[in-house]
Amino acid sequence: MEKTKILIVEDESIIALEIHESLLKLDYEVTAVINNGPGAIKNFEENQADLILMDIHLRGDMDGIEAAKIIQSVHPVPIIVLTAFSNK
C-alpha cells in the first residue's frame, strides 16, 4: 500500500521538525518541509502531495492563506491550516 504524501509548510524550524518526526512515526511520507509560500507552491507542483499542513504565518510577503488559495486554484488538495502563534 502506498503511503500518504504530506507537505509541511512551517517557518518555525522546531515546530516543523516536531511535525515531521511525528508524521514519520505514524508511517506517512513527508515530501518536504518548506518555510515560505512560493516554495510551497513550487514544491507542490513538483511533488503533488496528498495533503498539505500549512502554517498561516510564513516568512516573506506571502502568508499561508494566500499560498493555499493559489495551490487550490490549480488542484483541490486538502489543506489543513495551522498556527503556533499566540499573543499570550
Side-chain angles (χ1 to χ4, degrees), residues 12-23:
E12 294 293 331
S13 59
I14 293 172
I15 295 168
L17 180 61
E18 181 65 30
I19 294 169
H20 184 223
E21 289 177 359
S22 295
L23 291 172

Side-chain angles (χ1 to χ4, degrees), residues 7-86:
L7 170 60
I8 301 169
V9 186
E10 171 60 64
D11 65 344
E12 294 293 331
S13 59
I14 293 172
I15 295 168
L17 180 61
E18 181 65 30
I19 294 169
H20 184 223
E21 289 177 359
S22 295
L23 291 172
L24 292 179
K25 287 178 185 176
L26 293 168
D27 205 31
Y28 291 102
E29 177 183 340
V30 176
T31 60
V33 178
I34 306 294
N35 66 7
N36 62 75
I41 295 165
K42 183 176 189 290
N43 184 276
F44 180 78
E45 289 171 352
E46 294 171 356
N47 295 302
Q48 298 289 307
D50 300 309
L51 172 72
I52 300 173
L53 299 178
M54 178 80 71
D55 186 17
I56 293 174
H57 302 283
L58 297 173
R59 293 188 180 134
D61 295 332
M62 182 184 296
D63 66 17
I65 301 296
E66 185 179 352
K69 286 179 183 177
I70 291 169
I71 291 169
Q72 286 194 320
S73 72
V74 177
H75 186 74
V77 61
I79 299 176
I80 297 173
V81 180
L82 311 169
T83 187
F85 178 77
S86 173

